Amino acid sequence: MDHCRVHPRFLHSNATSHKWALGALAELLDNSQDEVINGATYVNIDVLEHEKDSDKEKSRMLLVEDDGGGMDPDKMRQCMSLGYSVKSKILSTIGQYGNGFKTSTMRLGADVLVFSCSRGKSGKRPTQSIGMLSYTFLRSTGKEDIIVPMIDYEFKQGWERMVRTTSDDWNTSLRTIIAWSPYSTEAELLDQFRLMKEQGTRIIIYNLWEDDQGDLELDFDADVHDIQLRGGNRDEKNIQMANQFPNSKHYLTYRHSLRSYASILYLRLPSYFQMILRGKEIEHHNIVTDMMLKKEVTYRPVAPNGRPKDSTMVADVTIGFVKDAKHHIDVQGFNVYHKNRLIKPFWRVWTAAGSGGRGVIGVLEANFIEPAHDKQDFERTTLLLRLEARLVQMQKDYWSGNAHRIGYVAPRPGRNSEAGEGENFPENTASAQPSSYHSGKGYTNSKDFQNSKRGGKGGTSFGIQQRAEKSARNKRSTKSVLHGLSDSDGSDSEFVGTPSSRSRSHTLNMNQKSFQNGSIGLTTPQSSGLTERERVRTNSQSMDRNATSNGGLHTIDEYEAVIKQLRDENSSLKERWRICRDNLSLQPRNKKH
């Protein structure tokens, strides 16, 4: 029967679907974590040395092993088959033994050797299997088909060879594995099983890939208890900042550090399951513990007809400021999990022109969205686009209500801060309304506003009003920094929004007189120490505060009337001051006054 052939080059091209080496390592951790249901209690990631190297500095190999259920000979062959996934139909699993296993191992190195020990099915004796997938072997021998040599053992009165086809096939596979693996004899191969428990899987990846400079892509020397990446994923500035801002450490280091990335890879981890990296346990970390001023929001996706597709389709979002946010470092994004597995770390959904959204992080589990094949993104579906739009709005709402609490200038009421500190822009929607400064009587549209500025008098008063508002916002921001925040867990709470416009108006009315019956009540400052110019300025600012407390609902004519009244009062004060000065000059100097 005619059949398709798969060339060895396919292994390499398929492996490049993993653009990030740590993402490929995460696939292997997924397989081990899924084995918890089969008794796995740990996964161990370590570095070994190539036994056949005669050089003084032996080449490095990568080890990933667990004590899960292992694979019997049939499952081992399924695992090494192209395009096969033994867990593709199991809803509770996240790993993909089969195609995912091969793409991840081939992404890290040219060759992989797999040792698996299984207790076997009920009533059967335990088995041991060894399989080798070697790109080096296939390319060096000019193979045009992918050949995977495998050998099996079964336990009777001792470990004996398990022949599935012929003895010649078995011996050929053994010779091939010995020739192209790090081990020189059958005894050395069997020694690997002695390093394992009664069941489990031991994966050794060798001939690791190098970068353009001839160095290993994986860096084993930067930290003896970590595996890191070289090149573009590594930023020395971020590493220094991670030491200075420990609450932002994972954001700054997950791109190049396996220890950092693996610690946040799972939303929940069984207490009895350990992840061990180069002899030291990886401490599981929940990003929620890095937050302060936390808020919880429930998101339910809605179908186009307005009805939920599934009542179980829900995501509980926790959003807050990272505890280092008061330092104004650029840390933000949502950690989006799927079935407990991190798919999009620190997803930056809102990119403002300035500092908008800075310091805001979030965590959610979205099981209703399908991950991409490499588990580093989601499939671009309508559900994902709607989730993204909702997360953007969540971050904007949270930012506008809380930015002042960590020292940013609070956005003006009714507007979202697109540019961040000191700059505010309305949302890019057709229903966006002008601010209260523009929507009042006499400022019904932008043309009226421009005309008022060109008019001179009204524009001057409007500028004073803007400066007064900015000064008030700066004072509120400074007060929140000095009196509101702490790095301790005690500062965590569900956020409370800024005071409503009604309460602000009430506060202003308690300290000044307001417009009544269409006229303006002006008072002369009582302090005799103020100069005439200061009095005029004080009255002008008082007028502007009154305008703010009443929503700014004044026509240009009313502003001109105010200016005229101020000028009249100015002239009156000048005349009184002149008369007082003349009277003083006429008095005898030797008398007391």
Side-chain angles (χ1 to χ4, degrees):
M1 199 173 188
D2 290 339
H3 62 279
C4 293
R5 302 175 64 183
V6 181
H7 196 276
R9 281 194 296 266
F10 173 78
L11 288 175
H12 188 265
S13 61
N14 194 34
T16 56
S17 63
H18 276 290
K19 296 180 176 62
W20 186 37
L22 296 188
L25 264 168
E27 287 258 21
L28 300 179
L29 294 178
D30 291 343
N31 289 333
S32 297
Q33 204 271 343
D34 280 338
E35 285 297 302
V36 167
I37 60 175
N38 293 320
T41 61
Y42 74 89
V43 57
N44 179 41
I45 309 102
D46 211 338
V47 181
L48 305 176
E49 292 184 345
H50 199 298
E51 296 293 333
K52 288 184 179 178
D53 282 351
S54 57
D55 299 338
K56 291 183 179 179
E57 185 177 353
K58 295 187 176 182
S59 60
R60 306 285 185 87
M61 303 188 300
L62 188 63
L63 166 70
V64 181
E65 65 175 350
D66 63 58
D67 62 342
M71 294 177 283
D72 60 29
D74 291 333
K75 285 186 177 179
M76 178 73 117
R77 280 156 179 77
Q78 292 169 354
C79 169
M80 306 296 268
S81 299
L82 294 175
Y84 184 89
S85 175
V86 73
K87 292 189 286 188
S88 61
K89 302 295 183 181
I90 304 177
L91 297 178
S92 62
T93 59
I94 54 178
Q96 293 288 321
Y97 265 120
N99 204 42
F101 167 79
K102 287 182 291 296
T103 56
S104 57
T105 53
M106 290 290 102
R107 171 61 182 84
L108 299 167
D111 310 305
V112 58
L113 198 59
V114 182
F115 301 84
S116 189
C117 182
S118 172
R119 289 181 178 273
K121 296 179 181 179
S122 177
K124 292 190 176 181
R125 296 180 183 276
T127 58
Q128 295 179 167
S129 299
I130 304 173
M132 182 184 73
L133 182 60
S134 173
Y135 185 71
T136 305
F137 156 64
L138 296 171
R139 295 290 290 157
S140 299
T141 56
K143 295 289 188 296
E144 295 187 357
D145 283 325
I146 295 178
I147 298 173
V148 182
M150 299 185 65
I151 55 177
D152 306 299
Y153 299 86
E154 61 181 340
F155 189 85
K156 293 181 179 178
Q157 296 181 354
W159 288 107
E160 301 178 4
R161 295 181 178 184
M162 181 179 177
V163 179
R164 294 171 61 92
T165 54
T166 66
S167 296
D168 288 341
D169 288 343
W170 200 100
N171 290 325
T172 300
S173 292
L174 175 62
R175 288 195 298 269
T176 304
I177 292 174
I178 289 175
W180 297 96
S181 80
Y183 306 103
S184 303
T185 64
E186 182 181 5
E188 289 182 4
L189 290 170
L190 293 174
D191 282 341
Q192 297 301 307
F193 288 110
R194 296 189 179 93
L195 299 174
M196 301 167 60
K197 294 186 177 181
E198 293 183 354
Q199 62 181 25
T201 303
R202 184 177 176 90
I203 302 168
I204 298 175
I205 305 170
Y206 53 106
N207 291 332
L208 302 176
W209 298 118
E210 298 177 348
D211 59 20
D212 295 336
Q213 287 72 42
D215 297 321
L216 290 180
E217 181 183 23
L218 300 177
D219 185 353
F220 301 108
D221 300 320
D223 187 336
V224 295
H225 294 297
D226 197 5
I227 297 176
Q228 300 187 0
L229 296 184
R230 307 180 196 272
N233 290 292
R234 185 183 181 91
D235 189 327
E236 295 299 329
K237 182 180 178 181
N238 282 350
I239 295 175
Q240 295 175 4
M241 290 178 64
N243 295 326
Q244 185 178 358
F245 306 111
N247 296 301
S248 305
K249 174 183 176 182
H250 292 85
Y251 175 90
L252 297 167
T253 60
Y254 83 92
R255 290 292 307 173
H256 73 272
S257 167
L258 177 60
R259 179 170 293 277
S260 177
Y261 178 51
S263 68
I264 61 175
L265 187 60
Y266 305 108
L267 191 58
R268 300 168 297 274
L269 198 67
S271 58
Y272 53 84
F273 184 80
Q274 290 181 304
M275 294 190 293
I276 304 169
L277 177 57
R278 302 187 71 180
K280 184 178 179 181
E281 183 177 1
I282 297 173
E283 295 183 8
H284 177 255
H285 184 79
N286 192 329
I287 294 296
V288 172
T289 62
D290 294 331
M291 296 182 191
M292 63 181 178
L293 307 175
K294 294 190 290 284
K295 177 187 178 183
E296 293 186 358
V297 182
T298 299
Y299 169 70
R300 297 181 185 275
V302 179
N305 60 6
R307 298 178 181 176
K309 185 177 179 181
D310 186 348
S311 59
T312 62
M313 293 172 60
V314 60
D316 293 323
V317 185
T318 303
I319 187 172
F321 275 115
V322 67
K323 291 177 181 177
D324 295 317
K326 63 183 179 181
H327 300 290
H328 294 183
I329 59 176
D330 192 11
V331 174
Q332 63 170 299
F334 290 85
N335 275 21
V336 188
Y337 290 80
H338 174 83
K339 293 183 181 178
N340 195 45
R341 163 67 144 83
L342 180 60
I343 303 298
K344 289 184 76 70
F346 297 103
W347 183 19
R348 191 167 185 147
V349 296
W350 177 31
T351 303
S355 58
R358 184 173 292 182
V360 180
I361 59 175
V363 174
L364 66 146
E365 185 174 21
N367 295 333
F368 49 86
I369 304 176
E370 190 65 26
H373 68 282
D374 62 354
K375 299 182 195 168
Q376 297 303 307
D377 204 343
F378 289 102
E379 298 290 348
R380 299 297 294 179
T381 62
T382 303
L383 276 175
L384 179 65
L385 296 178
R386 288 178 177 171
L387 173 63
E388 182 177 8
R390 185 67 184 92
L391 293 179
V392 170
Q393 193 58 50
M394 283 185 198
Q395 189 172 0
K396 287 182 177 180
D397 292 343
Y398 183 86
W399 171 264
S400 64
N402 294 272
H404 67 284
R405 302 179 73 177
I406 58 170
Y408 290 104
V409 175
R412 284 180 289 184
R415 312 190 78 179
N416 283 318
S417 175
E418 285 289 345
E421 193 170 0
E423 299 183 66
N424 301 285
F425 299 96
E427 282 190 68
N428 187 22
T429 60
S431 61
Q433 299 293 329
S435 72
S436 59
Y437 296 110
H438 300 176
S439 60
K441 189 176 180 181
Y443 291 95
T444 55
N445 55 48
S446 60
K447 183 177 179 181
D448 291 334
F449 172 63
Q450 294 297 333
N451 290 338
S452 72
K453 293 190 71 173
R454 286 194 292 270
K457 298 177 182 179
T460 300
S461 179
F462 183 78
I464 296 173
Q465 180 175 338
Q466 283 187 313
R467 290 193 295 273
E469 276 292 293
K470 183 175 181 180
S471 176
R473 289 197 303 268
N474 287 334
K475 289 179 180 180
R476 288 196 300 268
S477 301
T478 303
K479 183 176 180 181
S480 68
V481 172
L482 294 177
H483 303 289
L485 299 179
S486 167
D487 280 338
S488 67
D489 291 338
S491 65
D492 294 354
S493 63
E494 182 164 330
F495 85 92
V496 180
T498 53
S500 64
S501 58
R502 179 180 297 178
S503 64
R504 286 194 296 270
S505 176
H506 175 72
T507 303
L508 288 169
N509 287 329
M510 291 294 291
N511 295 283
Q512 59 193 28
K513 292 184 179 180
S514 61
F515 293 100
Q516 295 178 355
N517 300 323
S519 64
I520 305 170
L522 293 173
T523 58
T524 303
Q526 297 179 357
S527 174
S528 60
L530 294 177
T531 66
E532 172 269 333
R533 186 184 298 250
E534 289 171 336
R535 290 179 180 179
V536 173
R537 185 186 303 115
T538 302
N539 281 333
S540 177
Q541 291 175 347
S542 176
M543 178 273 295
D544 287 320
R545 286 195 299 270
N546 284 327
T548 301
S549 66
N550 286 273
L553 302 178
H554 307 290
T555 64
I556 295 178
D557 292 337
E558 287 175 326
Y559 274 110
E560 290 177 345
V562 171
I563 297 299
K564 183 178 183 304
Q565 186 168 348
L566 288 172
R567 286 179 172 175
D568 293 340
E569 183 180 351
N570 186 16
S571 298
S572 175
L573 288 171
K574 283 184 177 179
E575 182 64 20
R576 291 168 58 189
W577 179 77
R578 185 184 63 78
I579 295 173
C580 182
R581 182 192 61 186
D582 293 341
N583 290 336
L584 288 173
S585 64
L586 296 175
Q587 297 292 334
R589 294 181 180 275
N590 58 351
K591 289 186 177 181
K592 295 182 181 180
H593 303 287

